[in-house]
Amino acid sequence: MKLHDTGVYLVNGVPQTSAPAGVTEADAKKGTIAYGILKAHNTGDSMQDLRMKFDSMTSHDITYVGIIQTARASGMTEFPLPYVMTNCHNSLCAVGGTINEDDHQFALSAAHKYGGIYVPPNMAVIHSYNREMMSGCGRMILGSDSHTRYGALGTMAVGEGGGELAKQLVGRTYDMSYPGVVAIYLTGKPAPGVGPHDVALALVAATHANGYVKNKVMEFVGPGVANLSADYRNGIDVMTTETTCWSSIWQTDDTTKEYFVQHGRPEAYKELKPADVAYYDGCIELDLSTVECMIALPMHPSYAYPIRELKANAKEILQAAQDQANRQLGGKVEMDLVGKICDDGRIYVDQGVVAGCSGGTYENICAVADIIKGKSCGNGEFKFSVYPDSMPTYLELVKNGAVADIVSAGGIFRECFCGPCFGAGDTPANGEFSIRHTTRNFPNREGSKPGEGQISAVALMDARSIAATAANGGYLTAASELTDVYTAASELTDVEYTTPDYHFDQGVYDKRVYNGWGRPEPNYELKFGPNVKDWPEQTALTDDLLVKIVSYITDPVTTTDELIPSGETSSFRSNPLRLAEFTLSRKDPAYVPNAKAVKALDEQRKAGELPAEVARVYDDLKKLGYAPDAANTNIGSAIFANKPGDGSAREQAASCQRVLGGAANFACEYATKRYRSNCINWGMLPFLVENPGALDNGDYVYLPGVRKALLEAADELDAVAVKPDGGLVKFTVKLGALTDAERRILADGCLINYYMNHSLRVAL
């Protein structure tokens, strides 16, 4: 794999570093596939400052209630574009009693009232339904899930927080500067046994840490694309999220066309390819034939190694991964990976899972069945589960015998559910090691609770190698090495990958999915369960601001899972105050009580009483000549993190801080655009600091004139850190690039306030 350190021109399909005679870089930038799609969806006058509207949107049952509640409060009367609501995240999560199904009923009633599309529980995971039914060449889809990626089907899809979807529901636009575009130039053909997750993990490993594609578009081109099936492309594409890119797009061909014909939507196809000359801001050249079977060790998809290399250096690599994980866990509990090395040098794993939008595709599961057919998972500690991505996939796997082959080998075949991806399904036992073809292996994504002394480890692998490991009784095995593997019971031989033809049966959806698009029923009554609550009111930004740092995180990257844990906590996603009780619960259990204490100080201030703690801070500030006006200075909490926001698009990572009185984040940089956007939409100032040493946990930070500086787009803002001992440190902060609308949202206190204070709707 080669990452170019300069821009690259694609000339008649061939990369080169210089432009042909007479071609300018500016003109050649218009030759990318991405440029054409973005231009078609831009409603503004400038291609540098995009103002986009999407063709459709999608959410699952962790996010849609909050989005609809935000849009209702902002004046929405009907869905102005197709809006798909799936129920694939909390279908089986029993925590909280009836509240999961209550939320599903809310969504169904909203689909009736506003004209939406409702996909019942267990019918399909969010991204598979959108691939099958909503994608189309040249389209754009916005989803409230970070893995909203349909680029392999010619669709630019973007995962964002709920606020961005609410904007579309009230006729507003998605605003951003034109992104960089990076070519992923594919050549060659994958070796037998190498699957899409192997390619994806290799790409993530090469790009995540260095930020090569951060907030850019990954555009897949080159002759190697033709050597990949549609399922294979989808499997790579969905993992582009883990590179921190903004979106993805692939050149289309007869394979793409056949996918749409197969799914009864031939009109959704059109050829997409770069112009004869196209300029890219970067280029990754990848020969697919060089990719090996991979494993991404805990606790990030970018910690990837060839399985061959891991097995050859097991002690060294597992020790390094173990040490890194335990540093990240902060001493709460100890992960033991080295203990998985057996006396004979083999590595034993306790569980294998193939699931969701990345693992549960038709071809992946057919490959699993081919590998495990006639074998046995054994009756020891190792266990194996498979989750299909949609009921049409499930039906075809039943018909072609794949389900029977997997079950006969001792595997468990489950329903369409995203649980293993986020900690609500197949949680391993304490100390176990799980290998999964899912999207993430972040800390505790599998459902363990380090704060309660529980820890299990998750590594990501392709379905083929997971099946090979299952067929080998739980001993780590790459699918590419099957001919060299022996067990006590039998010899594993070459595998013939049959991949029977797929026949999509849309009748499965026609009989169960409610499609009310274009047919809103305004008089239909919304069904509110006892856990569906309105968003708490938020206050506008005052002239000055005083915040207290109540959590100080020095990890290189802080994930959204650490900011608001996934798994069973997501059952409370429709109750903002109750969900907020879990904020940073695994990373910093002191955060919630500390944030509440600061919020109580502001309540005292609003009641006309200046708390003694705040009075002391004001006395210290007077030493520098400041004269804080308590009546016009909000008091809020804040966190510092080096690089927060990697991972999920769930807006709750920001909104939970806000409903507890959060007013700001301080960071050296933000890991993703979507987390920063969530902070903005919830009225939390996304400060950037160049000198994090000026701050510490327990410090108060005074920001004089912050509202004026914000609205006047000042490059820097003055800040003063007031230490617990009365010491004072002056420093500066920045807010980075903000649109005029984002500045108003921050000034008004949140997106809902912004819509209430200004025109509620614009012409659709």
Side-chain angles (χ1 to χ4, degrees):
M1 192 181 312
K2 177 182 178 181
L3 279 63
H4 289 257
D5 55 11
T6 63
V8 167
Y9 291 87
L10 201 65
V11 181
N12 295 319
V14 180
Q16 61 183 52
T17 55
S18 59
V23 177
T24 66
E25 179 181 310
D27 286 338
K29 281 189 172 183
K30 299 176 183 178
T32 65
I33 303 170
Y35 183 90
I37 296 175
L38 293 172
K39 183 178 181 182
H41 290 81
N42 182 29
T43 65
D45 297 328
S46 168
M47 280 299 290
Q48 295 309 308
D49 298 307
L50 301 173
R51 304 289 181 263
M52 291 183 290
K53 289 193 174 182
F54 289 78
D55 296 295
S56 65
M57 299 198 312
T58 188
S59 298
H60 51 59
D61 48 351
I62 287 180
T63 55
Y64 58 56
V65 174
I67 292 165
I68 293 169
Q69 292 287 66
T70 299
R72 286 179 63 236
S74 303
M76 179 192 69
T77 56
E78 64 181 69
F79 294 154
L81 73 170
Y83 185 18
V84 174
M85 293 170 283
T86 66
N87 296 278
C88 50
H89 274 59
N90 285 294
S91 307
L92 300 182
C93 188
V95 175
T98 69
I99 61 179
N100 293 306
E101 188 62 17
D102 291 345
D103 286 359
H104 299 160
Q105 290 300 304
F106 173 87
L108 179 57
S109 68
H112 278 278
K113 185 176 183 69
Y114 301 119
I117 301 168
Y118 174 83
V119 182
N122 306 125
M123 287 298 295
V125 303
I126 176 172
H127 303 309
S128 295
Y129 183 86
N130 281 275
R131 289 170 188 156
E132 293 167 346
M133 302 300 294
M134 305 303 293
S135 62
C137 297
R139 296 181 189 174
M140 290 191 74
I141 296 178
L142 182 64
S144 56
D145 183 89
S146 58
H147 290 101
T148 307
R149 291 284 189 271
Y150 317 126
L153 299 172
T155 306
M156 284 190 71
V158 181
E160 278 284 1
E164 294 302 321
L165 278 77
K167 289 177 183 177
Q168 297 281 310
L169 291 178
V170 294
R172 302 280 177 155
T173 56
Y174 179 94
D175 303 340
M176 65 177 290
S177 298
Y178 187 83
V181 183
V182 175
I184 314 300
Y185 189 78
L186 302 180
T187 59
K189 182 179 182 179
V194 173
H197 225 34
D198 298 315
V199 178
L201 293 177
L203 278 168
V204 173
T207 58
H208 180 270
N210 59 25
Y212 191 79
V213 295
K214 181 179 177 180
N215 293 332
K216 296 180 174 68
V217 177
M218 296 176 73
E219 186 160 308
F220 288 78
V221 294
V225 173
N227 294 325
L228 305 177
S229 68
D231 257 9
Y232 206 113
R233 298 177 196 182
N234 285 330
I236 297 171
D237 186 64
V238 73
M239 286 296 291
T240 59
T241 296
E242 303 311 320
T243 68
T244 71
C245 77
W246 175 71
S247 187
S248 64
I249 192 68
W250 292 55
Q251 66 186 46
T252 62
D253 55 18
D254 286 346
T255 298
T256 323
K257 182 177 182 179
E258 175 57 29
Y259 179 92
F260 287 116
V261 170
Q262 188 180 66
H263 288 79
R265 299 190 294 119
E267 74 287 350
Y269 175 75
K270 67 178 179 180
E271 185 182 37
L272 299 176
K273 63 179 182 179
D276 291 343
V277 180
Y279 177 81
Y280 294 89
D281 299 281
C283 178
I284 300 173
E285 294 190 54
L286 175 58
D287 180 351
L288 294 165
S289 69
T290 66
V291 177
E292 299 184 59
C293 294
M294 303 290 288
I295 181 169
L297 294 172
M299 294 182 290
H300 199 276
S302 64
Y303 301 160
Y305 298 85
I307 295 174
R308 169 195 53 77
E309 182 180 340
L310 171 62
K311 293 177 71 172
N313 304 279
K315 178 65 167 64
E316 176 186 352
I317 293 175
L318 290 180
Q319 184 68 60
Q322 177 178 301
D323 292 345
Q324 180 172 258
N326 287 329
R327 285 193 300 271
Q328 196 168 343
L329 290 165
K332 297 183 183 72
V333 69
E334 293 288 320
M335 180 180 291
D336 179 14
L337 293 175
V338 175
K340 297 300 176 181
I341 303 174
C342 303
D343 291 341
D344 60 5
R346 292 186 294 175
I347 300 170
Y348 186 76
V349 300
D350 304 283
Q351 181 192 65
V353 178
V354 174
C357 57
S358 63
T361 61
Y362 176 76
E363 287 184 7
N364 281 343
I365 297 177
C366 285
V368 167
D370 287 335
I371 291 170
I372 206 169
K373 182 177 182 179
K375 307 297 190 303
S376 171
C377 298
N379 58 4
E381 293 183 3
F382 180 81
K383 47 269 183 187
F384 181 46
S385 298
V386 177
Y387 295 73
D389 63 352
S390 73
M391 286 306 288
T393 296
Y394 196 158
L395 177 60
E396 192 67 8
L397 292 167
V398 169
K399 289 180 177 179
N400 69 25
V403 173
D405 291 337
I406 292 168
V407 173
S408 296
I412 305 298
F413 207 89
R414 301 191 184 272
E415 59 294 299
C416 314
F417 183 45
C418 295
C421 282
F422 73 99
D426 281 293
T427 301
N430 181 54
E432 286 195 334
F433 186 24
S434 175
I435 52 174
R436 301 187 172 201
H437 191 150
T438 56
T439 55
R440 289 195 173 124
N441 60 337
F442 288 174
N444 328 123
R445 264 264 163 172
E446 78 295 346
S448 63
K449 298 180 180 180
E452 298 181 17
Q454 308 169 9
I455 190 63
S456 49
V458 171
L460 301 183
M461 286 170 45
D462 188 81
R464 292 150 188 78
S465 292
I466 295 174
T469 301
N472 199 20
Y475 293 99
L476 188 69
T477 305
S480 58
E481 59 177 306
L482 288 178
T483 54
D484 299 322
V485 175
Y486 296 85
T487 67
S490 63
E491 178 180 332
L492 300 181
T493 58
D494 283 327
V495 174
E496 179 184 356
Y497 293 104
T498 58
T499 316
D501 289 342
Y502 178 62
H503 304 93
F504 176 72
D505 185 349
Q506 186 174 323
V508 176
Y509 289 147
D510 293 340
K511 294 179 179 68
R512 287 292 298 132
V513 173
Y514 174 75
N515 189 340
W517 163 238
R519 303 189 309 276
E521 303 169 51
N523 295 324
Y524 201 96
E525 186 176 348
L526 291 175
K527 294 185 179 180
F528 288 91
N531 197 58
V532 178
K533 304 294 184 183
D534 290 333
W535 290 110
E537 292 185 9
Q538 303 299 331
T539 58
L541 180 64
T542 46
D543 289 343
D544 304 333
L545 180 64
L546 182 69
V547 296
K548 185 176 184 180
I549 307 294
V550 294
S551 186
Y552 192 93
I553 304 170
T554 58
D555 293 345
V557 179
T558 302
T559 69
T560 47
D561 279 32
E562 292 169 300
L563 294 167
I564 180 64
S566 59
E568 82 285 358
T569 60
S570 299
S571 290
F572 304 109
R573 74 275 185 189
S574 303
N575 188 332
L577 290 173
R578 194 169 182 187
L579 181 62
E581 295 289 332
F582 295 97
T583 312
L584 280 165
S585 57
R586 293 175 184 168
K587 187 67 183 175
D588 184 0
Y591 170 81
V592 170
N594 289 341
K596 286 182 175 180
V598 175
K599 187 175 184 181
L601 296 177
D602 198 49
E603 294 300 323
Q604 285 183 258
R605 179 195 67 84
K606 291 176 181 177
E609 177 186 348
L610 186 62
E613 181 178 337
V614 177
R616 287 193 298 271
V617 172
Y618 285 176
D619 286 341
D620 292 327
L621 287 168
K622 290 175 183 177
K623 300 172 186 175
L624 293 179
Y626 294 107
D629 176 8
N632 199 29
T633 304
N634 286 347
I635 304 170
S637 58
I639 68 168
F640 169 82
N642 278 317
K643 189 177 179 181
D646 188 21
S648 174
R650 286 172 292 137
E651 66 181 293
Q652 293 95 328
S655 67
C656 283
Q657 296 174 55
R658 184 61 168 160
V659 300
L660 290 172
N665 276 196
F666 293 88
C668 297
E669 66 174 300
Y670 290 86
T672 58
K673 174 194 175 297
R674 55 186 175 268
Y675 175 69
R676 183 174 180 270
S677 294
N678 286 338
C679 290
I680 293 167
N681 287 329
W682 279 104
M684 290 200 303
L685 294 155
F687 289 126
L688 292 165
V689 294
E690 293 182 356
N691 178 22
L695 296 172
D696 205 349
N697 207 22
D699 287 357
Y700 275 94
V701 180
Y702 179 59
L703 297 128
V706 63
R707 184 182 177 93
K708 183 174 184 291
L710 167 70
L711 293 175
E712 293 181 357
D715 291 333
E716 292 186 341
L717 293 79
D718 292 329
V720 183
V722 183
K723 304 294 180 178
D725 63 0
L728 300 166
V729 178
K730 295 183 72 172
F731 63 106
T732 59
V733 295
K734 296 181 179 181
L735 282 167
L738 293 168
T739 66
D740 290 341
E742 288 174 331
R743 294 181 187 281
R744 287 300 329 177
I745 291 167
L746 287 166
D748 288 346
C750 69
L751 185 66
I752 295 174
N753 291 358
Y754 171 72
Y755 287 139
M756 292 176 65
N757 294 341
H758 306 279
S759 57
L760 294 183
R761 284 177 68 87
V762 296
L764 301 179

